[in-house]
Every structure is written in structure tokens, then in C-alpha cells.
């Protein structure tokens, strides 16, 4: 029987790269996207990857609505393919605001998507994978952020907090589900080149400031994040659960003195 991977947020940079790599590894894929503006992107991605011989299905879903999440898992079941993995790539960053300027409505939306949405996806994934519900186990991978390790760059403390909650939830859920054959892990990317980060990458000053904080001296490519995600889904990671894997180019250079031509890092 073929195996299916569900990728929530499958049209974005990391999500789309994960979908493409999963197809290349022989999985069928159900991918989700957020709104009508992404209809064309999802259709084009499915058309292109469907030619590889796999089944690729797209579904618009609001991760803040549990009924939408349930429909995604129903779609996966209808494929008559065994659910093997679920990847949470959905995430937003609210308007850059320092603590003294935080907005309650923005915070609710941020946590509804980044934190509560991820938790609800894990809930439905666990239900689908539990042996007592007819599942055969599987793997869940949540996409967090290296921002949690420094509290976020300036104006992103709330974003970092929403992702830190994902880290803790990943570890706790992994302990709950380990005996049932379900592994739960997360990856923490550094700044990655995606459509969402393109404004930073195109701005010479912002780009230089970011790159100075990454020991490898560049931003990540989306496929460099997708590869460890697929590894965590694979049997090669069969004894890995409750892990937060830094995919960071070496972490952060913060407050370091210039040594051997390396510029000081920034704390923002």
C-alpha cells in the first residue's frame, strides 16, 4: 500500500519544498493552503508534481477552524493510502511590534495560527494514526523557528513565544504518543529564503544584518529545511522523537567580537 503525507501550508517556501521532496521519495501528498489567493499556486504545483506518478491533492483549509482540519484528514483517508506523516508548515509573523506596542487582536491571530492550529493538527494526526482508531502509527513534524532560542529579533518576541510553545508541545506530545508508534518532532529553521522573507532578502541592509548572525554566512534554502523534515518522517529516524532539530547554519552569532574577518552579530 502507498503512503500519504499531509503537508499543512504546502504552497509556501518550506511547505512546497517539502511537498516536492515527499513526492520524490514516493509518497502521495495532501497539501493545504490558506486562501483563495493561493488557488492557482496549489493547482499549478499539483499539476506539475502529479506527472511524477504520485497522487497529489490540494485543499484550502483555515488552520484556525477545527472542522477544516478534520476535512483534510478525511481527504487523506479517501485516498485509500496509509497515512504515514503529517507536517505543520503553517505560520505567520504579526506586524513588527515591540512589547510596549503589542496589539491584542494581532496576538490572538498569531497564536491561533502558529500555536493552537498546530496543536489541533497534532490532535487529528494522533487520532488518525492511533492503532485503536485503525492507524498504524506514523510521524508528525512541526516547523518551529530558531527565533525561540534568542527570543526573536527586535519586534518579534511574540512570534518567538508562539513558536516556543510549539517546541514544548512537541516534546510533551511525543512522550504521550511514543508507546503508540507515533513519533513527534520539530525542526527549527534559521531565516530561510521563501516568498514571505523575500522583502528582507532583497533589502541590502536587512539582508546583511541577518546574514551576519548566521555562522555559515547565508540564509537557508527551502529545500535545506525540507530534507531534515523528510528524514524525520522516514524509518531512518525511527528512534527519534521529542527532538527539536536546529537547521540553522550554526545557530546565532550574537554580540561576538570580529575575529578572522567575521563581523559581529546582532541581537535583533
Amino acid at each position: 500500500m502507498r503512503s500519504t503525507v499531509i503537508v499543512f501550508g504546502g504552497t509556501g517556501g518550506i511547505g512546497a519544498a517539502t511537498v516536492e521532496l515527499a513526492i520524490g521519495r514516493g509518497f502521495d501528498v495532501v497539501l493545504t493552503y490558506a486562501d483563495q489567493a493561493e488557488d492557482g499556486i496549489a493547482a499549478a504545483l499539483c499539476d506539475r508534481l502529479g506527472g511524477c506518478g504520485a497522487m497529489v491533492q490540494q485543499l484550502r483549509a483555515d488552520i484556525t477552524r477545527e472542522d477544516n482540519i478534520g476535512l483534510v484528514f478525511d481527504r487523506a483517508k479517501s485516498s485509500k493510502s496509509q497515512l504515514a506523516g503529517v507536517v505543520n508548515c503553517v505560520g505567520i509573523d504579526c506586524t513588527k511590534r515591540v512589547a510596549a506596542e503589542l496589539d491584542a487582536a494581532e496576538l490572538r491571530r498569531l497564536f491561533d495560527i502558529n500555536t493552537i492550529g498546530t496543536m489541533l493538527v497534532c490532535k487529528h494526526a494522533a487520532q488518525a494514526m492511533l492503532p485503536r482508531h485503525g492507524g498504524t502509527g506514523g510521524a508528525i513534524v512541526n516547523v518551529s523557528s530558531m527565533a525561540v532560542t534568542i527570543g526573536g529579533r527586535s519586534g518579534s518576541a511574540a512570534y518567538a513565544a508562539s513558536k516556543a510553545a510549539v517546541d514544548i508541545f512537541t516534546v510533551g506530545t511525543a512522550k504521550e504518543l511514543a508507546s503508540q508508534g507515533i513519533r513527534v518532532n520539530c525542526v527549527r529553521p534559521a531565516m530561510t529564503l521563501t516568498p514571505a522573507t523575500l522583502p528582507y532578502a532583497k533589502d541590502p541592509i536587512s539582508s546583511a544584518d541577518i546574514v551576519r548572525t548566521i555562522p555559515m554566512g547565508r540564509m537557508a534554502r527551502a529545500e535545506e529545511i525540507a530534507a531534515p523534515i523528510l528524514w524525520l518522517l522516514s524509518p531512518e529516524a525511527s528512534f527519534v522523537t521529542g527532538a527539536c532539530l536546529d537547521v540553522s547554519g550554526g545557530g546565532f552569532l550574537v554580540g561576538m567580537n570580529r575575529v578572522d574577518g567575521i563581523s559581529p552579530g546582532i541581537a535583533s
Side-chain angles (χ1 to χ4, degrees):
M1 178 182 287
R2 292 183 64 87
S3 296
T4 292
V5 169
I6 302 174
V7 181
F8 283 84
T11 59
I14 294 172
T18 301
V19 168
E20 188 154 0
L21 191 54
I23 294 296
R25 301 283 172 87
F27 290 105
D28 292 333
V29 172
V30 176
L31 66 92
T32 80
Y33 58 100
D35 52 44
Q36 189 173 0
E38 295 181 84
D39 281 345
I41 298 172
L45 185 61
C46 289
D47 287 345
R48 178 168 62 84
L49 295 177
C52 301
M55 179 179 289
V56 191
Q57 303 179 72
Q58 80 256 22
L59 189 64
R60 193 191 310 170
D62 181 349
I63 199 173
T64 68
R65 293 182 53 185
E66 190 170 3
D67 60 337
N68 277 206
I69 296 171
L71 288 173
V72 175
F73 283 88
D74 289 343
R75 175 71 65 88
K77 290 177 187 175
S78 71
S79 69
K80 303 186 187 303
S81 176
Q82 185 67 49
L83 179 62
V86 175
V87 181
N88 284 302
C89 282
V90 179
I92 62 166
D93 191 359
C94 59
T95 304
K96 299 291 185 186
R97 293 182 187 272
V98 295
E101 299 171 357
L102 290 174
D103 177 82
E106 287 182 353
L107 286 173
R108 290 189 188 96
R109 181 168 181 266
L110 178 74
F111 279 83
D112 278 349
I113 293 173
N114 289 6
T115 309
I116 297 174
T118 294
M119 291 176 175
L120 291 174
V121 167
C122 288
K123 167 191 169 179
H124 283 265
Q127 289 179 346
M129 293 174 176
L130 283 168
R132 68 173 180 268
H133 292 156
T136 58
I140 302 168
V141 180
N142 299 318
V143 177
S144 177
S145 172
M146 282 299 292
V148 307
T149 66
I150 61 167
R153 300 177 190 276
S154 181
S156 291
Y159 169 78
S162 73
K163 289 296 189 177
V166 169
D167 285 9
I168 299 302
F169 183 76
T170 294
V171 174
T173 304
K175 296 179 190 301
E176 293 175 357
L177 297 174
S179 64
Q180 302 298 310
I182 302 172
R183 296 184 296 105
V184 190
N185 295 287
C186 72
V187 296
R188 298 196 292 211
M191 184 70 78
T192 304
L193 292 168
T194 69
T197 62
L198 199 57
Y200 300 105
K202 283 187 171 181
D203 180 83
I205 296 175
S206 294
S207 177
D209 284 346
I210 291 166
V211 166
R212 276 198 297 269
T213 69
I214 301 173
M216 289 185 71
R218 63 175 177 85
M219 298 183 196
R221 300 186 300 273
E223 59 268 25
E224 292 178 306
I225 312 302
I229 289 174
L230 264 293
W231 177 76
L232 287 168
L233 293 177
S234 77
E236 291 180 347
S238 58
F239 201 61
V240 181
T241 195
C244 295
L245 176 60
D246 294 347
V247 189
S248 62
F252 282 99
L253 291 169
V254 181
M256 296 181 68
N257 294 322
R258 186 183 181 90
V259 178
D260 295 332
I262 300 175
S263 299
I266 58 172
S268 59

